[in-house]
PDB file of all heavy atoms in Angstrom:
ATOM      1  N   PHE A 106       5.489 -19.173  -1.341  1.00  0.00           N
ATOM      2  CA  PHE A 106       5.794 -19.967  -2.544  1.00  0.00           C
ATOM      3  C   PHE A 106       6.627 -19.117  -3.563  1.00  0.00           C
ATOM      4  O   PHE A 106       6.478 -19.316  -4.768  1.00  0.00           O
ATOM      5  CB  PHE A 106       4.532 -20.494  -3.172  1.00  0.00           C
ATOM      6  CG  PHE A 106       3.681 -21.266  -2.281  1.00  0.00           C
ATOM      7  CD1 PHE A 106       2.561 -20.787  -1.682  1.00  0.00           C
ATOM      8  CD2 PHE A 106       4.082 -22.619  -1.944  1.00  0.00           C
ATOM      9  CE1 PHE A 106       1.743 -21.534  -0.778  1.00  0.00           C
ATOM     10  CE2 PHE A 106       3.290 -23.380  -1.045  1.00  0.00           C
ATOM     11  CZ  PHE A 106       2.169 -22.872  -0.480  1.00  0.00           C
ATOM     12  N   ARG A 107       7.470 -18.224  -3.105  1.00  0.00           N
ATOM     13  CA  ARG A 107       8.153 -17.331  -3.981  1.00  0.00           C
ATOM     14  C   ARG A 107       9.037 -18.054  -5.034  1.00  0.00           C
ATOM     15  O   ARG A 107       9.064 -17.650  -6.153  1.00  0.00           O
ATOM     16  CB  ARG A 107       9.065 -16.357  -3.124  1.00  0.00           C
ATOM     17  CG  ARG A 107       9.737 -15.338  -3.941  1.00  0.00           C
ATOM     18  CD  ARG A 107       8.775 -14.305  -4.490  1.00  0.00           C
ATOM     19  NE  ARG A 107       9.376 -13.260  -5.231  1.00  0.00           N
ATOM     20  CZ  ARG A 107       9.701 -13.273  -6.508  1.00  0.00           C
ATOM     21  NH1 ARG A 107       9.473 -14.397  -7.195  1.00  0.00           N
ATOM     22  NH2 ARG A 107      10.266 -12.242  -7.145  1.00  0.00           N
ATOM     23  N   ARG A 108       9.684 -19.120  -4.564  1.00  0.00           N
ATOM     24  CA  ARG A 108      10.602 -19.878  -5.486  1.00  0.00           C
ATOM     25  C   ARG A 108       9.693 -20.576  -6.567  1.00  0.00           C
ATOM     26  O   ARG A 108      10.127 -20.651  -7.746  1.00  0.00           O
ATOM     27  CB  ARG A 108      11.437 -20.839  -4.718  1.00  0.00           C
ATOM     28  CG  ARG A 108      12.598 -21.366  -5.482  1.00  0.00           C
ATOM     29  CD  ARG A 108      13.612 -22.050  -4.538  1.00  0.00           C
ATOM     30  NE  ARG A 108      14.206 -21.132  -3.581  1.00  0.00           N
ATOM     31  CZ  ARG A 108      15.168 -20.347  -3.820  1.00  0.00           C
ATOM     32  NH1 ARG A 108      15.695 -20.300  -5.099  1.00  0.00           N
ATOM     33  NH2 ARG A 108      15.650 -19.484  -2.915  1.00  0.00           N
ATOM     34  N   ASP A 109       8.525 -21.101  -6.187  1.00  0.00           N
ATOM     35  CA  ASP A 109       7.667 -21.745  -7.150  1.00  0.00           C
ATOM     36  C   ASP A 109       7.123 -20.739  -8.140  1.00  0.00           C
ATOM     37  O   ASP A 109       6.981 -20.935  -9.321  1.00  0.00           O
ATOM     38  CB  ASP A 109       6.481 -22.435  -6.455  1.00  0.00           C
ATOM     39  CG  ASP A 109       7.075 -23.616  -5.567  1.00  0.00           C
ATOM     40  OD1 ASP A 109       7.989 -24.309  -6.038  1.00  0.00           O
ATOM     41  OD2 ASP A 109       6.503 -23.766  -4.491  1.00  0.00           O
ATOM     42  N   VAL A 110       6.788 -19.539  -7.595  1.00  0.00           N
ATOM     43  CA  VAL A 110       6.229 -18.455  -8.440  1.00  0.00           C
ATOM     44  C   VAL A 110       7.244 -18.055  -9.512  1.00  0.00           C
ATOM     45  O   VAL A 110       6.966 -17.816 -10.721  1.00  0.00           O
ATOM     46  CB  VAL A 110       5.857 -17.243  -7.628  1.00  0.00           C
ATOM     47  CG1 VAL A 110       5.503 -16.051  -8.514  1.00  0.00           C
ATOM     48  CG2 VAL A 110       4.651 -17.526  -6.743  1.00  0.00           C
ATOM     49  N   GLN A 111       8.535 -17.995  -9.070  1.00  0.00           N
ATOM     50  CA  GLN A 111       9.645 -17.646 -10.005  1.00  0.00           C
ATOM     51  C   GLN A 111       9.798 -18.592 -11.191  1.00  0.00           C
ATOM     52  O   GLN A 111      10.309 -18.213 -12.212  1.00  0.00           O
ATOM     53  CB  GLN A 111      10.937 -17.486  -9.237  1.00  0.00           C
ATOM     54  CG  GLN A 111      12.013 -16.813  -9.966  1.00  0.00           C
ATOM     55  CD  GLN A 111      11.822 -15.315 -10.140  1.00  0.00           C
ATOM     56  OE1 GLN A 111      11.213 -14.720  -9.262  1.00  0.00           O
ATOM     57  NE2 GLN A 111      12.299 -14.686 -11.240  1.00  0.00           N
ATOM     58  N   ASN A 112       9.360 -19.804 -10.968  1.00  0.00           N
ATOM     59  CA  ASN A 112       9.533 -20.863 -11.998  1.00  0.00           C
ATOM     60  C   ASN A 112       8.358 -21.062 -12.861  1.00  0.00           C
ATOM     61  O   ASN A 112       8.329 -21.938 -13.755  1.00  0.00           O
ATOM     62  CB  ASN A 112       9.900 -22.203 -11.299  1.00  0.00           C
ATOM     63  CG  ASN A 112      11.305 -22.182 -10.620  1.00  0.00           C
ATOM     64  OD1 ASN A 112      12.210 -21.521 -11.106  1.00  0.00           O
ATOM     65  ND2 ASN A 112      11.379 -22.858  -9.494  1.00  0.00           N
ATOM     66  N   LEU A 113       7.240 -20.293 -12.645  1.00  0.00           N
ATOM     67  CA  LEU A 113       6.086 -20.370 -13.409  1.00  0.00           C
ATOM     68  C   LEU A 113       6.309 -19.933 -14.816  1.00  0.00           C
ATOM     69  O   LEU A 113       7.010 -18.977 -15.088  1.00  0.00           O
ATOM     70  CB  LEU A 113       4.923 -19.655 -12.818  1.00  0.00           C
ATOM     71  CG  LEU A 113       4.307 -20.165 -11.487  1.00  0.00           C
ATOM     72  CD1 LEU A 113       3.313 -19.213 -10.927  1.00  0.00           C
ATOM     73  CD2 LEU A 113       3.690 -21.506 -11.710  1.00  0.00           C
ATOM     74  N   HIS A 114       5.643 -20.547 -15.765  1.00  0.00           N
ATOM     75  CA  HIS A 114       5.668 -20.170 -17.207  1.00  0.00           C
ATOM     76  C   HIS A 114       4.252 -20.256 -17.785  1.00  0.00           C
ATOM     77  O   HIS A 114       3.436 -21.104 -17.401  1.00  0.00           O
ATOM     78  CB  HIS A 114       6.581 -21.098 -17.981  1.00  0.00           C
ATOM     79  CG  HIS A 114       8.026 -20.950 -17.608  1.00  0.00           C
ATOM     80  ND1 HIS A 114       8.829 -19.880 -17.975  1.00  0.00           N
ATOM     81  CD2 HIS A 114       8.800 -21.797 -16.805  1.00  0.00           C
ATOM     82  CE1 HIS A 114      10.064 -20.000 -17.450  1.00  0.00           C
ATOM     83  NE2 HIS A 114      10.062 -21.110 -16.785  1.00  0.00           N
ATOM     84  N   PRO A 115       3.929 -19.306 -18.672  1.00  0.00           N
ATOM     85  CA  PRO A 115       4.751 -18.250 -19.236  1.00  0.00           C
ATOM     86  C   PRO A 115       5.112 -17.145 -18.116  1.00  0.00           C
ATOM     87  O   PRO A 115       4.451 -17.132 -17.090  1.00  0.00           O
ATOM     88  CB  PRO A 115       3.909 -17.625 -20.298  1.00  0.00           C
ATOM     89  CG  PRO A 115       2.513 -17.949 -19.911  1.00  0.00           C
ATOM     90  CD  PRO A 115       2.568 -19.304 -19.214  1.00  0.00           C
ATOM     91  N   GLU A 116       6.067 -16.435 -18.465  1.00  0.00           N
ATOM     92  CA  GLU A 116       6.621 -15.441 -17.467  1.00  0.00           C
ATOM     93  C   GLU A 116       5.596 -14.419 -17.002  1.00  0.00           C
ATOM     94  O   GLU A 116       5.602 -13.934 -15.895  1.00  0.00           O
ATOM     95  CB  GLU A 116       7.801 -14.721 -18.052  1.00  0.00           C
ATOM     96  CG  GLU A 116       8.564 -13.846 -17.067  1.00  0.00           C
ATOM     97  CD  GLU A 116       9.780 -13.234 -17.639  1.00  0.00           C
ATOM     98  OE1 GLU A 116      10.337 -13.732 -18.599  1.00  0.00           O
ATOM     99  OE2 GLU A 116      10.291 -12.219 -17.105  1.00  0.00           O
ATOM    100  N   ILE A 117       4.550 -14.140 -17.857  1.00  0.00           N
ATOM    101  CA  ILE A 117       3.533 -13.139 -17.527  1.00  0.00           C
ATOM    102  C   ILE A 117       2.773 -13.559 -16.301  1.00  0.00           C
ATOM    103  O   ILE A 117       2.290 -12.699 -15.555  1.00  0.00           O
ATOM    104  CB  ILE A 117       2.591 -12.944 -18.771  1.00  0.00           C
ATOM    105  CG1 ILE A 117       1.521 -11.828 -18.442  1.00  0.00           C
ATOM    106  CG2 ILE A 117       1.935 -14.236 -19.143  1.00  0.00           C
ATOM    107  CD1 ILE A 117       2.167 -10.523 -18.124  1.00  0.00           C
ATOM    108  N   VAL A 118       2.676 -14.891 -16.025  1.00  0.00           N
ATOM    109  CA  VAL A 118       1.955 -15.358 -14.789  1.00  0.00           C
ATOM    110  C   VAL A 118       2.717 -14.849 -13.626  1.00  0.00           C
ATOM    111  O   VAL A 118       2.015 -14.489 -12.615  1.00  0.00           O
ATOM    112  CB  VAL A 118       1.875 -16.904 -14.857  1.00  0.00           C
ATOM    113  CG1 VAL A 118       1.170 -17.404 -13.566  1.00  0.00           C
ATOM    114  CG2 VAL A 118       1.108 -17.404 -16.094  1.00  0.00           C
ATOM    115  N   GLN A 119       4.041 -14.770 -13.622  1.00  0.00           N
ATOM    116  CA  GLN A 119       4.790 -14.277 -12.520  1.00  0.00           C
ATOM    117  C   GLN A 119       4.395 -12.812 -12.256  1.00  0.00           C
ATOM    118  O   GLN A 119       4.230 -12.425 -11.124  1.00  0.00           O
ATOM    119  CB  GLN A 119       6.260 -14.408 -12.817  1.00  0.00           C
ATOM    120  CG  GLN A 119       6.741 -15.847 -13.054  1.00  0.00           C
ATOM    121  CD  GLN A 119       8.222 -15.907 -13.447  1.00  0.00           C
ATOM    122  OE1 GLN A 119       8.948 -14.977 -13.117  1.00  0.00           O
ATOM    123  NE2 GLN A 119       8.606 -16.915 -14.191  1.00  0.00           N
ATOM    124  N   HIS A 120       4.353 -12.053 -13.331  1.00  0.00           N
ATOM    125  CA  HIS A 120       4.062 -10.595 -13.216  1.00  0.00           C
ATOM    126  C   HIS A 120       2.667 -10.433 -12.597  1.00  0.00           C
ATOM    127  O   HIS A 120       2.430  -9.548 -11.765  1.00  0.00           O
ATOM    128  CB  HIS A 120       4.129  -9.963 -14.577  1.00  0.00           C
ATOM    129  CG  HIS A 120       5.487  -9.818 -15.071  1.00  0.00           C
ATOM    130  ND1 HIS A 120       6.487  -8.998 -14.531  1.00  0.00           N
ATOM    131  CD2 HIS A 120       6.209 -10.517 -16.087  1.00  0.00           C
ATOM    132  CE1 HIS A 120       7.634  -9.100 -15.275  1.00  0.00           C
ATOM    133  NE2 HIS A 120       7.462 -10.016 -16.179  1.00  0.00           N
ATOM    134  N   ILE A 121       1.684 -11.269 -13.084  1.00  0.00           N
ATOM    135  CA  ILE A 121       0.337 -11.115 -12.531  1.00  0.00           C
ATOM    136  C   ILE A 121       0.288 -11.395 -11.086  1.00  0.00           C
ATOM    137  O   ILE A 121      -0.377 -10.624 -10.280  1.00  0.00           O
ATOM    138  CB  ILE A 121      -0.621 -12.066 -13.283  1.00  0.00           C
ATOM    139  CG1 ILE A 121      -0.751 -11.642 -14.834  1.00  0.00           C
ATOM    140  CG2 ILE A 121      -1.992 -12.114 -12.668  1.00  0.00           C
ATOM    141  CD1 ILE A 121      -1.586 -12.569 -15.626  1.00  0.00           C
ATOM    142  N   LEU A 122       0.912 -12.496 -10.618  1.00  0.00           N
ATOM    143  CA  LEU A 122       0.871 -12.888  -9.169  1.00  0.00           C
ATOM    144  C   LEU A 122       1.609 -11.808  -8.339  1.00  0.00           C
ATOM    145  O   LEU A 122       1.255 -11.600  -7.188  1.00  0.00           O
ATOM    146  CB  LEU A 122       1.542 -14.195  -9.013  1.00  0.00           C
ATOM    147  CG  LEU A 122       0.709 -15.406  -9.493  1.00  0.00           C
ATOM    148  CD1 LEU A 122       1.507 -16.676  -9.350  1.00  0.00           C
ATOM    149  CD2 LEU A 122      -0.612 -15.528  -8.700  1.00  0.00           C
ATOM    150  N   LEU A 123       2.614 -11.159  -8.870  1.00  0.00           N
ATOM    151  CA  LEU A 123       3.380 -10.169  -8.093  1.00  0.00           C
ATOM    152  C   LEU A 123       2.750  -8.808  -8.132  1.00  0.00           C
ATOM    153  O   LEU A 123       2.786  -8.016  -7.224  1.00  0.00           O
ATOM    154  CB  LEU A 123       4.751 -10.082  -8.625  1.00  0.00           C
ATOM    155  CG  LEU A 123       5.697 -11.259  -8.409  1.00  0.00           C
ATOM    156  CD1 LEU A 123       6.977 -11.212  -9.195  1.00  0.00           C
ATOM    157  CD2 LEU A 123       6.006 -11.443  -6.873  1.00  0.00           C
ATOM    158  N   ASP A 124       1.963  -8.492  -9.239  1.00  0.00           N
ATOM    159  CA  ASP A 124       1.469  -7.163  -9.424  1.00  0.00           C
ATOM    160  C   ASP A 124      -0.032  -7.001  -8.980  1.00  0.00           C
ATOM    161  O   ASP A 124      -0.447  -5.893  -8.667  1.00  0.00           O
ATOM    162  CB  ASP A 124       1.580  -6.716 -10.902  1.00  0.00           C
ATOM    163  CG  ASP A 124       3.102  -6.473 -11.279  1.00  0.00           C
ATOM    164  OD1 ASP A 124       3.925  -6.340 -10.358  1.00  0.00           O
ATOM    165  OD2 ASP A 124       3.327  -6.453 -12.459  1.00  0.00           O
ATOM    166  N   MET A 125      -0.809  -8.109  -9.102  1.00  0.00           N
ATOM    167  CA  MET A 125      -2.183  -7.982  -8.721  1.00  0.00           C
ATOM    168  C   MET A 125      -2.405  -7.465  -7.298  1.00  0.00           C
ATOM    169  O   MET A 125      -3.292  -6.667  -7.079  1.00  0.00           O
ATOM    170  CB  MET A 125      -2.892  -9.322  -8.963  1.00  0.00           C
ATOM    171  CG  MET A 125      -4.388  -9.281  -8.663  1.00  0.00           C
ATOM    172  SD  MET A 125      -5.309  -8.041  -9.693  1.00  0.00           S
ATOM    173  CE  MET A 125      -5.426  -8.935 -11.208  1.00  0.00           C
ATOM    174  N   PRO A 126      -1.618  -8.007  -6.300  1.00  0.00           N
ATOM    175  CA  PRO A 126      -1.796  -7.422  -4.909  1.00  0.00           C
ATOM    176  C   PRO A 126      -1.555  -5.922  -4.862  1.00  0.00           C
ATOM    177  O   PRO A 126      -2.130  -5.199  -4.054  1.00  0.00           O
ATOM    178  CB  PRO A 126      -0.827  -8.246  -4.094  1.00  0.00           C
ATOM    179  CG  PRO A 126      -0.626  -9.482  -4.804  1.00  0.00           C
ATOM    180  CD  PRO A 126      -0.693  -9.188  -6.303  1.00  0.00           C
ATOM    181  N   SER A 127      -0.624  -5.493  -5.732  1.00  0.00           N
ATOM    182  CA  SER A 127      -0.349  -4.021  -5.800  1.00  0.00           C
ATOM    183  C   SER A 127      -1.588  -3.201  -6.303  1.00  0.00           C
ATOM    184  O   SER A 127      -1.892  -2.128  -5.784  1.00  0.00           O
ATOM    185  CB  SER A 127       0.876  -3.722  -6.630  1.00  0.00           C
ATOM    186  OG  SER A 127       2.017  -4.350  -6.191  1.00  0.00           O
ATOM    187  N   LEU A 128      -2.241  -3.775  -7.230  1.00  0.00           N
ATOM    188  CA  LEU A 128      -3.503  -3.135  -7.714  1.00  0.00           C
ATOM    189  C   LEU A 128      -4.553  -3.108  -6.582  1.00  0.00           C
ATOM    190  O   LEU A 128      -5.190  -2.099  -6.363  1.00  0.00           O
ATOM    191  CB  LEU A 128      -4.063  -3.890  -8.966  1.00  0.00           C
ATOM    192  CG  LEU A 128      -3.384  -3.647 -10.323  1.00  0.00           C
ATOM    193  CD1 LEU A 128      -3.970  -4.515 -11.380  1.00  0.00           C
ATOM    194  CD2 LEU A 128      -3.451  -2.168 -10.730  1.00  0.00           C
ATOM    195  N   ALA A 129      -4.700  -4.224  -5.925  1.00  0.00           N
ATOM    196  CA  ALA A 129      -5.673  -4.306  -4.863  1.00  0.00           C
ATOM    197  C   ALA A 129      -5.259  -3.390  -3.705  1.00  0.00           C
ATOM    198  O   ALA A 129      -6.141  -2.812  -3.012  1.00  0.00           O
ATOM    199  CB  ALA A 129      -5.755  -5.749  -4.318  1.00  0.00           C
TER     200      ALA A 129
END
Side-chain angles (χ1 to χ4, degrees):
F106 302 103
R107 186 68 178 84
R108 200 166 293 280
D109 295 322
V110 169
Q111 193 72 30
N112 294 325
L113 289 175
H114 292 285
E116 189 175 339
I117 184 58
V118 179
Q119 302 175 25
H120 291 289
I121 292 174
L122 288 174
L123 291 170
D124 292 343
M125 184 57 78
S127 297
L128 283 177

